[in-house]
Amino acid sequence: MSDAAPTPAYSRVMLKISGEALMGDQGFGLHPPTVERVAKQVQGLHAMGVEVCMVIGGGNIFRGLSGSAQGMERTTADYMGMLATVMNALAMQSALEALKINTRVISAIPMDQVCEPYIRRRAVRHLEKKRVCIFAAGTGNPYFTTDTAATLRANEMKCEAIFKGTQVDGVYDSDPKTNPDAVRYDTVTYDEVLAKNLKVMDASAIALARDNKLPIIVFSLGAPDGLSGVLSGKGKFTKVTQ
């Protein structure tokens, strides 16, 4: 890393993105150029020496909650959603390894032919060896979202922050897409997020982050300086903290 390179604020982070973030302009599935663009942002972090964990949702392929709303049994629908996250993780692994970044997909549901089972100590060792770890299949349990899975794994891996990539540049008091007068927070507390129902992550994830004093940085995946810029404190983002 050159002397001119930005200094990252954190040395080990969890990047949480939704499955929808990989759709591009499509209404469904994976958009390979978009997957590649996100992979290049991760490459920027990797070049800074940051150890990176990832959790990717599965909503671009299947969302368990909406499946159950249409009459499917909830547990079955949630397991289908978990399998969708494995598909997204494998796609991201392929994109990262095309950029010469060693990557491991680690699944909470054992499927040895395609990825590793989750073993905490092994995953920590991968990070120490500067491999990107993509945690798939949520927590392995129905009724838990990938937000909760990301917060759980971030704590287990002793990450210093969760970076949640969204379509907007932070947390607002209302939807900025529908309300032009929406106000963006620079910082907000965990309790405010819960009390005001600010939709940063689900309540279980926020409570778990709060109990372990794990900051959450909400930023736009389309940020001009990219993820590496946000990690260095540039651009717009919201920090959720005590």
Side-chain angles (χ1 to χ4, degrees):
M1 188 169 63
S2 69
D3 292 338
T7 302
Y10 305 100
S11 59
R12 180 180 293 178
V13 301
M14 168 64 73
L15 174 60
K16 167 63 173 73
I17 62 175
S18 67
E20 289 89 344
L22 303 183
M23 290 193 308
D25 294 330
Q26 303 173 150
F28 181 81
L30 286 159
H31 183 238
T34 301
V35 177
E36 181 182 2
R37 179 172 58 81
V38 175
K40 285 181 176 177
Q41 295 215 29
V42 176
Q43 182 186 37
L45 291 194
H46 194 261
M48 295 165 70
V50 178
E51 296 171 2
V52 182
C53 307
M54 295 183 71
V55 168
I56 306 171
N60 57 319
I61 298 170
F62 188 86
R63 185 180 292 279
L65 192 59
S66 61
S68 67
Q70 296 176 36
M72 187 176 292
E73 196 270 324
R74 173 66 187 269
T75 301
T76 299
D78 278 355
Y79 279 123
M80 291 174 67
M82 290 179 217
L83 295 178
T85 71
V86 176
M87 296 171 68
N88 285 338
L90 291 172
M92 184 58 64
Q93 179 185 42
S94 178
L96 286 168
E97 293 196 334
L99 298 171
K100 310 301 183 186
I101 297 172
N102 289 328
T103 306
R104 296 292 186 271
V105 173
I106 302 171
S107 172
I109 299 174
M111 47 186 81
D112 295 342
Q113 285 82 356
V114 295
C115 53
E116 293 184 8
Y118 176 68
I119 301 171
R120 188 187 67 83
R121 291 173 66 90
R122 182 188 291 177
V124 169
R125 187 69 178 134
H126 287 320
L127 291 171
E128 291 171 349
K129 291 183 176 181
K130 306 303 180 184
R131 297 165 181 158
V132 173
C133 289
I134 308 176
F135 296 104
T139 65
N141 302 289
Y143 296 94
F144 288 92
T145 67
T146 50
D147 281 346
T148 302
T151 310
L152 173 65
R153 297 292 184 240
N155 281 304
E156 290 180 302
M157 295 299 105
K158 300 190 184 304
C159 291
E160 296 167 1
I162 298 174
F163 280 71
K164 177 158 186 183
T166 69
Q167 296 180 333
V168 293
D169 57 2
V171 179
Y172 286 77
D173 63 353
S174 58
D175 188 349
K177 293 181 179 179
T178 58
N179 178 15
D181 296 321
V183 176
R184 187 179 65 83
Y185 298 93
D186 287 327
T187 60
V188 64
T189 68
Y190 304 110
D191 289 337
E192 285 177 305
V193 169
L194 293 171
K196 297 178 181 178
N197 195 25
L198 293 177
K199 306 294 187 184
V200 175
M201 287 179 159
D202 66 71
S204 297
I206 294 295
L208 185 58
R210 178 190 62 193
D211 293 347
N212 291 278
K213 298 180 173 59
L214 181 67
I216 303 168
I217 314 296
V218 182
F219 71 102
S220 170
L221 281 169
D225 291 316
L227 180 53
S228 57
V230 174
L231 190 69
S232 302
K234 299 178 183 177
K236 292 182 179 180
F237 56 86
T238 298
K239 184 175 183 179
V240 183
T241 187
Q242 291 284 58

